[in-house]
Amino acid sequence: MHKERKYRTAASLTAAIILSVTLFLLFFCIELLAGYFSPRLFRESLRVSDYGTGMEQEMLQKQKELFVSYGLPESLTNEIWEENEAYLAFYKFVDGGNAEDGSQFGQEEVLDNYLKGQEVFETSAVKDAADILLSESKAICVRYLYPSFVTDYQQLFSEKKMIFMITAVISAIISVVLIVLLFRWYRSRHHALRYVIGGLFTALVWNLAGTFALSSGDWFPAFGTVSENYQNFLDLYFTNGLQPWYVVSAAAAGITILLVSVYIRMRNREL
């Protein structure tokens, strides 16, 4: 009898340890899927940070400087872009639209009309200069309207989303199985509940430690020189992505306190 109780205690401790791991993995996956790997949060952070407006202004300024460097009036930029057209094109891309090659915004037509209006004779030198100008202008459009960090994020999310979802489901199933086993091993429910509380509390401590480490560390460094618009977005995205960690930790803490109170009542009734 004593040996059987000893084995059951050892098995219960092992189950509680495994439960703490599976619960922590479940918390971790939920936090990432609701936070840093959430396309909705990514798009919302871009909009709230007003990245699109700053991007549009910076892109138009670059194009104006380009035209002026070729001896052309910077007002040509206003003929290419209607109000908020670049802003809308950027967010259409963020929402899943396809990137273009930069030629769909009508730079060729505007430049051709200007040269014809100035009665510039189209020599090979003029044509070569115009081709270079248009190529550089298209490159500016692509760089600002279809930034690589958006594509990189979307690709990373598509690669990791399923992994986190599968891990969360498996962790939840194992956690439920372990809890059922613990309650089947003991006639006294408060004995089984004690191990469940231990596993949940340990997972909560690990999650709080992870939340503290994430909030106090520089986990989203901007490599190289970045624009103020991008830095503002990055700061807001980091802050928003951290919110699910606080919510999950608070929820786990609340459940732990509730289970402790239930455990105390159950134990008092059985005494």
Side-chain angles (χ1 to χ4, degrees), residues 239-250:
T239 301
N240 289 341
L242 196 57
Q243 297 307 312
W245 291 75
Y246 296 131
V247 173
V248 171
S249 295

Side-chain angles (χ1 to χ4, degrees), residues 47-98:
R47 287 189 170 89
V48 174
S49 67
D50 213 16
Y51 177 88
T53 300
M55 173 279 305
E56 182 179 45
Q57 295 173 352
E58 189 172 340
M59 188 199 74
L60 294 178
Q61 182 60 35
K62 290 292 183 182
Q63 282 199 309
K64 288 178 181 180
E65 293 173 359
L66 175 65
F67 285 128
V68 169
S69 68
Y70 278 83
L72 300 172
E74 64 178 29
S75 60
L76 290 179
T77 302
N78 299 327
E79 297 182 33
I80 297 173
W81 300 100
E82 297 181 0
E83 186 177 1
N84 291 332
E85 186 178 5
Y87 177 91
L88 295 174
F90 168 73
Y91 282 112
K92 181 179 179 181
F93 171 66
V94 171
D95 290 335
N98 295 323

Side-chain angles (χ1 to χ4, degrees), residues 8 11-12 15-16 19 175-198 259 262-263 266 270:
R8 186 173 59 183
S12 299
L19 179 62
S175 297
V176 171
V177 170
L178 290 171
I179 292 172
V180 171
L181 284 175
L182 284 168
F183 276 98
R184 290 191 65 180
W185 288 344
Y186 292 92
R187 291 182 180 179
S188 299
R189 300 299 185 187
H190 77 274
H191 285 138
L193 190 57
R194 179 177 55 188
Y195 292 103
V196 174
I197 293 173
L259 291 180
V262 171
Y263 168 78
M266 292 175 65
E270 293 184 15

Side-chain angles (χ1 to χ4, degrees), residues 101-117:
D101 61 1
S103 62
Q104 80 277 18
F105 297 110
Q107 291 113 314
E108 294 92 337
E109 292 81 356
V110 170
L111 183 59
D112 288 342
N113 292 336
Y114 175 78
L115 293 177
K116 289 177 182 178

Side-chain angles (χ1 to χ4, degrees), residues 216-237:
S216 60
D218 188 12
W219 297 95
F220 284 76
F223 298 100
T225 303
V226 297
S227 66
E228 183 180 354
N229 302 321
Y230 179 74
Q231 188 62 57
N232 290 338
F233 153 71
L234 203 62
D235 293 340
L236 185 62
Y237 177 60

Side-chain angles (χ1 to χ4, degrees), residues 33-47:
L33 290 172
Y36 296 120
F37 283 84
S38 167
R40 181 195 60 78
L41 184 139
F42 180 78
R43 293 191 296 267
E44 181 181 307
S45 298
L46 279 171
R47 287 189 170 89

